[in-house]
Amino acid sequence: MRFEIDWRYLRPALIILALAALAGSGIAYLTAGYRAQMAAAYQQEMAAHEAIEQQLELTREDQALIERYLPRFTRLSAAGMLAGEQRLDWVDTLRAQTQAMKLPMVRYQINPQAPFQAPYLMEGGDVSVNVSELRLEMGLLHEVDMVHLLARLEQRVPGGFHVEGCVLQRQEQHFGYYRDHPNLSAVCRLSWFTLKAPPADEERADGA
Amino acid sequence: MSIERIFYLTAQELTVFQCDKGTVRRLDSYPPTVEGVSAFDAYLAQHPRETSALLLDLFEEEFRHETIPHLLGGDRQSVLNRKLDNLFRRTPYRGAQFQGRERAGKRHDRVLCTAVTNPEAVSIWLPGLQQYRVPFKGIYSVPFVVQKLLEKLRLKQPNTLLLSLQQGGLLRQSFFSDGVLKISRLSLLPAFTPQEYLATVLKEVDKNYRYLNRIQLLPFNQPMDVSLLGAADLLEVLRAGCEDSPTQRYHFIDINQAADRLELDLELNSGQSEWLYAALLGRHTPALNYAPQADRRYFIMRQAKRQLLAASVLLAVGAAAWGVNNIIQAQRLKGQGHVAHLETEQLQRRYEQAKQAMPAVPLPPRLMQSAVEISEALARHQVRPAQVLGVLSRGLADHPQVVIEELRWGVTQSRHAEIDDDGMAMATNPEEAEEGSDPAGGASLFQVASMKARLDPFAEDYREAFTRIDQLMQALRAQPEVVEVSAVLLPLNVDPSAVLAGESGISTDAPSAMFEIKTVMKVAADEV
């Protein structure tokens, strides 16, 4: 007699096994789903937590930056470094100082503004530096007049001025007070720096 | 799985024994007739569930000693099957017991091949077992149960002949070498008294001795230990009549003492050895099983059924445990999520407060920082001409005769630069631009001032002029800001390799002592 499996005999056990598998799968599926749901909710809460933590940290950093830099920025702003190149101010000031100092002659040339870069300036900032090269030709009574004129221009015209170089030449053998011709001629090269920040709609201006 | 029910089968009848916790109960007997088999089937129909086995105590059982090549695994089984097929073609109830290897020669395996040579005596009882799905474990033979008995009683004489009496006057004589069954024989005794049994024993023992010697199962000149199994009263008679000799030594096994030693709760007479064998089989099944797999179908499937149920339980318990774990973990995550939510709300409030406390600023703080740092860097690199004018003034203070014709001043990274007419510093060697580089990556700055001057008055005393110029240069060098002072042009070029021309006389114009000095100042470290 061959060995034949009596499936009817095994049927109850197989049914129980199938039911157990089904029930087990159902339990596993439902509870795993519940756990996954809770895990997703937890991840969401943690993400929100992390985000607000970062925002708070950034706010604190901004606060520290404001405390540290606002006074200096205020002075900087008052000095006109961010006001853009005020060429009209420059011309008015030059004319006024020339007359006040009774300088025989002053000629000027301001070249077009261009971006400025230097190794000592930090890279990648959103604040850009522009520079205009100036050529100032002066007829002077005394070399100190040049120093005074440059100082007053620096004080009264918004922006930063660097004197790059000057050439002074004697025009008279003997210095005197001549109305129509100077004792000295001076040609100076200056760099006129201004800063430019991005427009307000690109950055929030409330410090956040 | 232990056997719960033994069907003890002899030529006369099938007796049902129930085994339970070390005791045996005799239930009923059925003759080998149509009616007997029907009654047995009816019994099985009523009680189909107990694990059962057949214990044979038949005359028609054959024992053959064979050898086969030493093989392993499936090959060995194939050879054995072929051997059994050849020896016992007409019965399905056959088996083999491995009994070691030959000591010499090819060292083949020695096997004891056994079979029930009257299969119909067995097969008439089996259909009911199949019909009622009785979990039937197998068909076992009394001689192999006796071998188990010797093992359990630790009777290990080298050559043992054990005699026992079963119901219906059946005398089982089994011979063992070193505890391994070699041959067994069943005979029928008519009703007898103890004295008659003693006489039968003595006669059978002698006959067996000579037979075993002849077939060389008992080595020549070796004694044979004869173990007689019986109740105390019969043993008393046997003890009195059996005398040891050089060839035969007698041992008397009290059946009830043996049962006690085996922890069987039995009270037996001499002719009830089958009870002992049934109880022993219920606990310890011999390896040799005559039943083909098809006859054991429902035992095998019952085991499978139990395994399926166990798997079901494991599956359910495992899934439940996993499910519980998932729920626990989910609840833990839920709790942690809730805590995180509360903390987030708190942080949100603090953030709102911090935002409100922040002053209004014209630019974002980071842009303010950039603007301030840039402007301060620019300021650090700012150099004013007042400094160089101050240095030159101090140097010229003791030299009123020096009249400056031209002063060129510029800020440069190279101390060798020259200043053009527009005040622009021109490096004479492009590589010198790196001269002032510092390890921090920035460049040092220099102020270069070229002063063209003349001595006035000048009495054509060039030597005096040279002295004055030299003194001026010393005075400039003495100032701490000055790095280098060099004469670019002197009133006379007294270099022997150059042309020297001049004029002297009272009618000539007064010559001038023109010279040019180059002064280099390093921009102070705190200015950069």
Side-chain angles (χ1 to χ4, degrees):
Chain A
M1 186 171 68
R2 284 178 52 213
F3 183 98
E4 285 176 8
I5 297 175
D6 184 350
W7 292 108
R8 286 181 64 184
Y9 181 78
L10 292 177
R11 190 162 58 187
L14 289 171
I15 289 172
I16 290 171
L17 181 64
L19 287 173
L22 199 63
S25 303
I27 290 170
Y29 176 76
L30 290 171
T31 58
Y34 177 57
R35 181 176 175 175
Q37 199 182 356
M38 289 299 111
Y42 173 71
Q43 287 301 326
Q44 213 171 3
E45 287 296 339
M46 288 309 294
H49 186 276
E50 201 172 311
I52 194 66
E53 241 182 352
Q54 277 178 359
Q55 274 187 311
L56 185 59
E57 184 60 29
L58 282 173
T59 302
R60 285 183 182 144
E61 283 174 8
D62 284 349
Q63 226 162 12
L65 285 175
I66 288 172
E67 280 173 28
R68 190 172 163 195
Y69 287 101
L70 184 59
R72 286 183 279 173
F73 179 81
T74 304
R75 287 195 291 274
L76 185 71
S77 198
M81 279 288 285
L82 289 149
E85 214 174 72
Q86 303 298 320
R87 291 193 172 191
L88 200 53
D89 283 352
W90 157 267
V91 171
D92 284 345
T93 301
L94 184 66
R95 186 177 54 76
Q97 291 305 314
T98 302
Q99 286 180 358
M101 292 169 68
K102 294 185 173 48
L103 297 176
M105 181 273 293
V106 174
R107 286 199 196 103
Y108 61 88
Q109 178 181 310
I110 306 175
N111 289 340
Q113 192 181 59
F116 176 75
Q117 287 176 339
Y120 59 84
L121 293 179
M122 58 187 192
E123 288 183 12
D126 285 337
V127 176
S128 57
V129 182
N130 294 321
V131 65
S132 292
E133 298 285 334
L134 275 77
R135 185 177 186 276
L136 197 60
E137 192 178 341
M138 297 163 274
L140 306 169
L141 295 175
H142 193 272
E143 63 270 14
V144 176
D145 286 343
M146 180 190 76
V147 175
H148 288 165
L149 177 62
L150 293 175
R152 284 173 192 175
L153 285 172
E154 192 178 334
Q155 280 172 5
R156 289 184 172 77
V157 179
F161 287 91
H162 286 200
V163 183
E164 305 295 345
C166 290
V167 176
L168 288 90
Q169 286 176 327
R170 180 182 284 271
Q171 299 298 320
E172 289 291 333
Q173 287 302 313
H174 301 284
F175 280 8
Y177 289 97
Y178 304 110
R179 286 183 63 185
D180 55 350
H181 57 274
N183 292 320
L184 292 169
S185 68
V187 175
C188 286
R189 258 188 343 101
L190 290 78
S191 292
W192 184 7
F193 294 103
T194 51
L195 306 182
K196 190 176 177 187
D201 57 358
E202 287 184 10
E203 292 280 347
R204 291 179 59 190
D206 60 354
Chain B
M1 196 184 300
S2 61
I3 300 171
E4 298 161 302
R5 185 168 55 186
I6 307 291
F7 305 131
Y8 174 69
L9 181 63
T10 66
Q12 292 94 349
E13 61 187 0
L14 181 142
T15 304
V16 178
F17 286 100
Q18 187 148 43
C19 304
D20 182 28
K21 293 191 183 92
T23 190
V24 169
R25 280 193 309 130
R26 185 180 186 282
L27 296 183
D28 211 344
S29 294
Y30 305 91
T33 61
V34 171
E35 294 79 15
V37 171
S38 293
F40 179 64
D41 290 348
Y43 162 74
L44 289 178
Q46 297 287 318
H47 307 279
R49 293 186 186 277
E50 287 148 324
T51 304
S52 308
L54 201 57
L55 178 61
L56 304 180
D57 202 2
L58 299 173
F59 301 106
E60 305 93 339
E61 193 174 4
E62 194 171 326
F63 299 86
R64 299 275 292 271
H65 290 269
E66 301 288 333
T67 59
I68 60 172
H70 179 67
L71 296 167
L72 298 171
D75 292 334
R76 183 200 225 183
Q77 194 58 47
S78 294
V79 168
L80 264 177
N81 289 342
R82 278 203 302 276
K83 176 73 73 175
L84 290 171
D85 221 24
N86 288 337
L87 293 172
F88 309 116
R89 196 179 301 279
R90 292 184 184 176
T91 174
Y93 310 116
R94 59 205 188 189
Q97 184 188 57
F98 173 69
Q99 295 195 342
R101 296 177 70 178
E102 291 177 322
R103 289 211 174 100
K106 293 181 183 176
R107 298 204 67 219
H108 283 169
D109 289 344
R110 290 184 287 112
V111 290
L112 174 66
C113 297
T114 71
V116 176
T117 53
N118 178 17
E120 290 76 22
V122 175
S123 62
I124 60 168
W125 301 101
L126 300 185
L129 297 171
Q130 293 293 316
Q131 183 182 355
Y132 298 108
R133 299 175 176 172
V134 175
F136 183 60
K137 187 169 183 180
I139 301 172
Y140 302 95
S141 174
V142 162
F144 291 97
V145 177
V146 175
Q147 179 177 284
K148 204 59 138 172
L149 177 66
L150 290 185
E151 180 190 315
K152 292 298 177 186
L153 295 179
R154 296 202 181 99
L155 299 175
K156 273 217 166 163
Q157 292 92 356
N159 306 292
T160 301
L161 177 70
L162 189 142
L163 286 79
S164 65
L165 280 169
Q166 286 81 250
Q167 65 186 33
L170 293 174
L171 174 64
R172 171 63 68 176
Q173 301 173 70
S174 305
F175 178 72
F176 302 88
S177 287
D178 295 321
V180 177
L181 177 71
K182 293 299 177 185
I183 199 163
S184 185
R185 188 161 70 91
L186 188 69
S187 52
L188 182 64
L189 298 180
F192 55 86
T193 63
Q195 290 296 334
E196 287 169 339
Y197 180 65
L198 171 62
T200 302
V201 162
L202 293 173
K203 190 174 81 178
E204 290 293 328
V205 165
D206 193 52
K207 194 161 74 176
N208 279 316
Y209 181 80
R210 281 185 279 111
Y211 171 70
L212 292 169
N213 260 322
R214 192 169 68 247
I215 64 173
Q216 296 178 354
L217 283 180
L218 177 64
F220 189 68
N221 278 340
Q222 284 220 1
M224 183 174 71
D225 289 284
V226 181
S227 294
L228 301 169
L229 184 67
D233 53 351
L234 181 62
L235 291 182
E236 195 182 330
V237 172
L238 293 174
R239 273 198 188 94
C242 296
E243 288 179 8
D244 288 347
S245 70
T247 55
Q248 284 133 29
R249 299 187 292 221
Y250 289 91
H251 308 273
F252 306 94
I253 305 173
D254 187 317
I255 192 170
N256 289 298
Q257 286 179 6
D260 285 343
R261 275 181 67 181
L262 297 175
E263 295 178 358
L264 299 169
D265 183 17
L266 297 170
E267 195 67 42
L268 302 173
N269 299 325
S270 295
Q272 289 183 316
S273 298
E274 71 276 9
W275 287 63
L276 183 64
Y277 299 149
L280 198 53
L281 179 61
R283 283 186 177 182
H284 308 285
T285 50
L288 197 147
N289 187 343
Y290 284 139
Q293 198 180 45
D295 289 334
R296 295 185 289 120
R297 184 159 79 126
Y298 285 98
F299 176 75
I300 294 168
M301 284 198 292
R302 187 188 202 177
Q303 282 186 311
K305 196 175 179 179
R306 288 185 177 182
Q307 285 164 4
L308 286 171
L309 289 172
S312 302
V313 168
L314 275 175
L315 197 59
V317 168
W322 189 23
V324 166
N325 181 56
N326 279 341
I327 290 171
I328 290 171
Q329 295 304 322
Q331 290 303 104
R332 182 179 63 83
L333 286 167
K334 189 177 178 183
Q336 286 175 349
H338 182 65
V339 168
H341 183 77
L342 292 175
E343 285 179 6
T344 301
E345 282 183 347
Q346 192 181 32
L347 286 174
Q348 182 71 31
R349 283 193 290 273
R350 280 159 64 182
Y351 168 69
E352 295 295 335
Q353 285 167 2
K355 252 180 64 176
Q356 280 173 8
M358 285 241 288
V361 287
L363 278 184
R366 287 171 214 289
L367 289 183
M368 288 199 314
Q369 177 189 15
S370 294
V372 167
E373 288 177 352
I374 287 170
S375 73
E376 289 178 354
L378 286 171
R380 283 194 297 273
H381 286 78
Q382 187 177 36
V383 182
R384 295 187 176 84
Q387 185 195 21
V388 71
L389 292 178
V391 166
L392 293 174
S393 292
R394 287 192 291 277
L396 288 165
D398 292 335
H399 301 277
Q401 73 277 25
V402 174
V403 177
I404 299 173
E405 294 292 337
E406 182 185 89
L407 177 63
R408 291 173 183 257
W409 166 83
V411 180
T412 172
Q413 291 180 9
S414 168
R415 67 177 67 191
H416 301 296
E418 290 179 4
I419 313 302
D420 68 6
D421 291 344
D422 275 347
M424 183 179 289
M426 308 291 290
T428 53
N429 184 351
E431 291 178 359
E432 291 174 358
E434 300 174 8
E435 184 185 314
S437 295
D438 64 19
S444 296
L445 289 180
F446 298 97
Q447 296 186 66
V448 175
S450 282
M451 180 177 70
K452 277 186 188 165
R454 58 184 167 83
L455 294 176
D456 187 9
F458 174 54
E460 287 191 61
D461 186 348
Y462 286 97
R463 199 178 296 279
E464 175 67 17
F466 273 83
T467 302
R468 294 274 182 209
I469 293 167
D470 191 55
Q471 285 171 351
L472 173 61
M473 288 170 64
Q474 293 292 335
L476 289 171
R477 287 195 189 103
Q479 299 191 64
E481 304 93 329
V482 174
V483 172
E484 180 184 314
V485 179
S486 55
V488 178
L489 177 68
L490 290 170
L492 274 182
N493 187 358
V494 297
D495 186 346
S497 62
V499 173
L500 175 61
E503 193 176 338
S504 182
I506 59 172
S507 60
T508 58
D509 292 334
S512 62
M514 289 293 296
F515 64 95
E516 184 177 351
I517 292 176
K518 182 176 172 185
T519 306
V520 178
M521 290 174 288
K522 194 168 181 182
V523 177
D526 58 357
E527 287 180 321
V528 180

